[in-house]
Amino acid sequence: MSKDYYIIPIFVPHLGCPHNCVFCNQRRITGKTDEMDENKAQHIIEEHLSTIPSRRKDVEIAFYGGSFTGIDLNLQERLLNVAFKYKKEGAVDRIRLSTRPDYIDKLRLDILKKYHVDIIELGVQSLDDEVLILSGRGHNKEDVYRASDLIKSYGFKLGLQMMIGLPGDNMEKSLLTGREIIKMNPFCVRIYPTLVIKDTYLKDLYEKGEYVPLSLEEAIDISSKLLVLFERNNIDVIRIGLQPTENMTTGKDVVAGPFHPAFRQLVESRLYRDFLEEYFKNFQKEDIKNKIITIETKERNISPMAGQKSSNIKYLKELYDFSNIKVYKKDIDSQIIIVHIEDHYDIIDKKDILKNYFRDIV
Ligand code: SF4
């Protein structure tokens, strides 16, 4: 999905969080170590607003980084009051925040309603209780169902965040979490592969050999299957992979795990590769051997279709002994792909791809 809104991120690191999820060192993940208050929040908002070229796009204030509804109620209200002021003035369109499922109750939601918060994202991480226990989350799956229902009953938009590769997790459990999330019908979803970050309990487990992170390949595989599940159910996946901080890209914070600065692109690329592989299975290998394949698609699909360093093209060429695969831009709907096998061609809609292929991912 193209992001057609402008985000003003306000990081509220670890404030109010008494928990110690094994994977979390909130200060390192957000890359911000200062505590937040209303003056700093106001400064950040002003700074961003002054750089937004025009109001062609929606503007959103997003409180990220911690468990917003777990922080001191007074500070919550002071921060929300600043955000609401800009919303009332029409300078911003939406207020978003993220929190834990067990920090959702009527008292907190009444406050969020008072300040016209629009979207509440819950860190679900997993809907397998064993994974939640091994990850030190301090809540169970029932907390997620209860909080989600309550958030929706207040009329807020619900966002759900899940992680893959947590201790005790596997492909099956991740897909189960994905399916359970679909039943809750959220407005949007984020998928985060677990990384081993410095100064976390997970790092100790990793060094003792008690935790093995997903490889990049495994993380791409699981994430691409989840992406199919969510897209098939019209649920917007707004992020796959952590937002890379400078320390992450320079390798200072990530000790191990499937980190890649363009992780989503890798996942989308894998989806195209899997789809094309499935599509060519409709033909006898002998019949399409040595043929020239031409694919036409919207310009922005070309790069994920070809894969990083043309990896998808190389993979398919080798698998089916094609003489060549060429990908061209065509001014068509971004959901449409036209595949030519020399004289034969098929016009394929991405929606049909999601419905008719990947049938193993129910
Ligand atoms: S609840 Fe959130 S902020 Fe607190 S330790 Fe867990 S992941 Fe970190």
Side-chain angles (χ1 to χ4, degrees):
M1 179 197 98
S2 68
K3 197 173 69 185
D4 52 3
Y5 54 96
Y6 186 97
I7 298 175
I8 301 179
I10 300 178
F11 290 100
V12 191
H14 217 114
L15 279 173
C17 183
H19 297 281
N20 269 312
C21 303
V22 292
F23 52 83
C24 174
N25 176 335
Q26 197 56 234
R27 286 161 207 268
R28 281 189 190 277
I29 288 178
T30 62
K32 309 270 172 194
T33 51
D34 292 347
E35 299 217 327
M36 183 53 63
D37 63 27
E38 64 275 28
N39 295 326
K40 284 182 191 155
Q42 169 142 354
H43 181 70
I44 292 168
I45 296 168
E46 286 291 342
E47 228 175 31
H48 278 269
L49 287 177
S50 69
T51 61
I52 299 175
S54 78
R55 288 288 271 115
R56 277 194 313 250
K57 287 182 171 190
D58 273 7
V59 179
E60 178 177 295
I61 293 177
F63 292 102
Y64 287 141
S67 310
F68 188 88
T69 56
I71 65 175
D72 173 69
L73 285 181
N74 184 274
L75 178 58
Q76 261 185 67
E77 292 214 45
R78 286 179 357 243
L79 291 173
L80 288 171
N81 196 30
V82 173
F84 183 41
K85 186 181 89 175
Y86 288 94
K87 193 176 166 186
K88 261 191 303 194
E89 287 169 0
V92 304
D93 302 281
R94 276 188 305 279
I95 304 171
R96 175 192 294 258
L97 56 87
S98 60
T99 192
R100 287 170 54 93
D102 50 346
Y103 286 160
I104 290 294
D105 55 27
K106 288 187 171 172
L107 171 72
R108 289 162 165 118
L109 292 183
D110 284 340
I111 293 174
L112 303 187
K113 207 69 201 171
K114 179 175 155 194
Y115 292 100
H116 292 237
V117 167
D118 297 277
I119 306 168
I120 302 175
E121 290 193 40
L122 290 181
V124 170
Q125 318 320 6
S126 173
L127 285 163
D128 180 277
D129 276 337
E130 193 197 2
V131 173
L132 290 173
I133 290 168
L134 291 172
S135 305
R137 282 291 290 168
H139 68 78
N140 58 27
K141 63 181 181 186
E142 287 309 319
D143 291 314
V144 178
Y145 297 125
R146 182 197 54 79
S148 298
D149 281 349
L150 200 56
I151 287 169
K152 287 172 84 174
S153 75
Y154 268 72
F156 294 109
K157 284 183 173 164
L158 172 71
L160 297 175
Q161 306 172 355
M162 68 172 288
M163 295 179 70
I164 58 170
L166 285 168
D169 200 11
N170 54 36
M171 165 81 86
E172 205 181 304
K173 289 181 176 184
S174 292
L175 292 181
L176 179 133
T177 295
R179 287 184 202 108
E180 288 298 298
I181 283 179
I182 288 164
K183 287 187 200 158
M184 289 182 259
N185 194 23
F187 167 69
C188 62
V189 163
R190 295 177 199 255
I191 304 167
Y192 295 122
T194 305
L195 301 176
V196 181
I197 306 278
K198 267 186 196 161
D199 300 333
T200 60
Y201 185 56
L202 197 59
K203 180 188 156 259
D204 300 341
L205 292 177
Y206 169 71
E207 283 177 351
K208 282 191 270 177
E210 291 172 23
Y211 170 74
V212 181
L214 292 175
S215 66
L216 185 61
E217 188 59 24
E218 288 167 327
I220 293 169
D221 194 29
I222 298 170
S223 303
S224 65
K225 288 186 166 59
L226 286 167
L227 187 59
V228 170
L229 272 184
F230 292 130
E231 289 203 345
R232 196 186 265 169
N233 287 280
N234 300 315
I235 294 171
D236 201 2
V237 181
I238 56 171
R239 174 155 276 283
I240 309 176
L242 278 175
Q243 177 85 42
T245 63
E246 199 189 322
N247 277 358
M248 279 181 174
T249 35
T250 52
K252 285 188 193 138
D253 278 353
V254 180
V255 177
F259 175 73
H260 191 287
F263 186 73
R264 183 178 188 127
Q265 217 177 310
L266 298 183
V267 173
E268 288 179 345
S269 242
R270 173 58 52 87
L271 219 53
Y272 279 118
R273 191 190 90 177
D274 288 351
F275 156 65
L276 288 168
E277 187 174 341
E278 284 297 308
Y279 167 78
F280 289 122
K281 280 185 191 162
N282 291 322
F283 302 88
Q284 292 295 326
K285 227 174 170 178
E286 275 308 301
D287 293 345
I288 53 176
K289 194 176 166 183
N290 296 326
K291 300 268 187 198
I292 295 174
I293 306 300
T294 311
I295 299 170
E296 293 172 297
T297 186
K298 190 94 177 166
E299 188 170 10
R300 72 171 142 101
N301 293 339
I302 290 181
S303 167
M305 179 93 63
Q308 281 220 324
K309 297 182 187 153
S310 300
S311 56
N312 286 356
I313 290 181
K314 284 179 202 147
Y315 174 88
L316 291 164
K317 228 175 121 182
E318 213 164 282
L319 190 66
Y320 289 100
D321 282 326
F322 292 132
S323 147
N324 205 354
I325 303 178
K326 299 171 188 168
V327 186
Y328 293 111
K329 70 171 174 182
K330 192 173 174 81
D331 194 14
I332 46 176
D333 190 296
S334 63
Q335 298 295 311
I336 302 291
I337 300 162
I338 306 174
V339 185
H340 301 254
I341 305 173
E342 296 187 350
D343 293 339
H344 171 93
Y345 73 92
D346 283 304
I347 301 173
I348 307 153
D349 190 322
K350 205 174 158 197
K351 284 197 203 88
D352 295 332
I353 298 172
L354 291 171
K355 233 188 316 166
N356 300 326
Y357 293 86
F358 310 109
R359 289 194 198 94
D360 54 320
I361 314 167
V362 197

